[in-house]
Amino acid sequence: MRGGGVVAFPTETVYGLGANAFDARAVARVFEIKQRPSFDPLIVHVADDETLMKVVESVPDAARALIERFWPGPLTLVLRKRDAVPSIVTAGLPTVGVRMPAHPVARALLERAGVPLAAPSANPFGYLSPTRAEHVERMLGERVDAILDGGATTLGLESTIVMLEPQPTLLRCGALPAEEIEAVIGPLAREVGSESAPLAPGRLETHYAPTTPIRVLDGDVPERERPGAGLLAFQTAVDGYDALRVLSRSGDLREAAAHLFDYLHELDAMGLTRIDVQAVPAHGIGAAIADRLRRASHR
Ligand code: TXA
Ligand code: MG
């Protein structure tokens, strides 16, 4: 990685595709490999506070409170960047998204590389995020220098992204429920969507999408419409589909989140005409599941 390599590695959320954040050429390769548009900034991963201070100008009090409470973990903070961070990393923004991952493999990699790693999720732009090394292998295997296999990720959904200034704002719901953040720093504003100048570039309406068309159900599907299609159920199985996955038999939203992308990868590989998905309760981590499903089904 010190020599400009691009390596996929596990985090507790999803697999990332990492390059030295201070090496603009290596970061350019990440964009190229993912076919990611240059307007979409990357998240910088740090091992410790010392590295954090090489990446950001300052840490406001509210950010410090969140760091103490939630790092290492699935929370990305958007803070003012230092000049040393090349503008390709932040898509020209004066701010940078940073997080300290909790996964032992990610931490070992960051410590041994000795540099912060700019890493988006390790999937082609717009496609399902990877929660296993096999997903990365299948989607990008030919193009990356190495893949570190840490097994299935435990959380299965991307980090929650919060911007601190001018006011605390939720930019992306994710593995850390917004309620838990609000319990520490008070109410978060929700991003008001502006297509021309979004606060979180890259939060596109169509995203996280399998190749197979997907639709989120608001009730039961007539039996005659089931053959040929697959069902991603929340808690209870339904007969008549060609393929079936159940996110969590006990209705546990965390378990459902951990299975979401994995099951969608599986269903997407089956050549089905359509994937039907049951809606999930949109509280706690369910809000992030609902967000991913809405974007995955948006055409
Ligand atoms: O859990 C995760 O966050 C994973 C793992 C690998 O850490 N990473 C991830 O990265 O989901 P990615 O590239 O798929 O999503 C990064 C998103 C961007 O699309 C953008 O919306 C937001 O983070 N972002 C990054 N830097 C930002 C900035 N300076 N201002 C606003 N939003 C930013
Ligand atoms: Mg992504």
Side-chain angles (χ1 to χ4, degrees), residues 11 13-16 36 40-43 45 76 78 93 95-97 99 119-121 158-159 161 171-172 199-203:
T11 80
T13 58
V14 301
Y15 275 71
R36 182 179 178 109
D40 192 0
L42 308 186
I43 293 172
H45 299 67
T76 295
V78 172
L93 293 170
T95 55
V96 59
R99 88 176 184 98
S121 50
E158 295 83 355
S159 62
I161 304 180
L171 297 184
R172 176 175 78 185
L199 294 174
R203 294 290 291 144

Side-chain angles (χ1 to χ4, degrees), residues 9-17 34 36 39-45 73-79 81 89-91 93-99 101 119-123 125 129-130 157-163 171-172 175 191 198-204 207-208 292:
F9 61 94
T11 80
E12 69 279 23
T13 58
V14 301
Y15 275 71
L17 186 64
K34 272 196 68 129
R36 182 179 178 109
F39 62 76
D40 192 0
L42 308 186
I43 293 172
V44 174
H45 299 67
L75 173 66
T76 295
L77 298 173
V78 172
L79 300 171
K81 83 172 187 74
V89 172
T90 64
L93 293 170
T95 55
V96 59
V98 278
R99 88 176 184 98
S121 50
N123 52 297
F125 186 71
S129 299
L157 283 181
E158 295 83 355
S159 62
T160 303
I161 304 180
V162 170
M163 178 178 83
L171 297 184
R172 176 175 78 185
E191 179 180 14
L199 294 174
R203 294 290 291 144
L204 304 181
H207 211 149
Y208 312 105
R292 302 304 187 271

Side-chain angles (χ1 to χ4, degrees), residues 6-9 15-19 29-30 33-34 118-122 136 140 144:
V6 174
V7 172
F9 61 94
Y15 275 71
L17 186 64
R29 275 190 66 207
V30 172
I33 290 169
K34 272 196 68 129
S121 50
V136 184
L140 303 173
V144 304

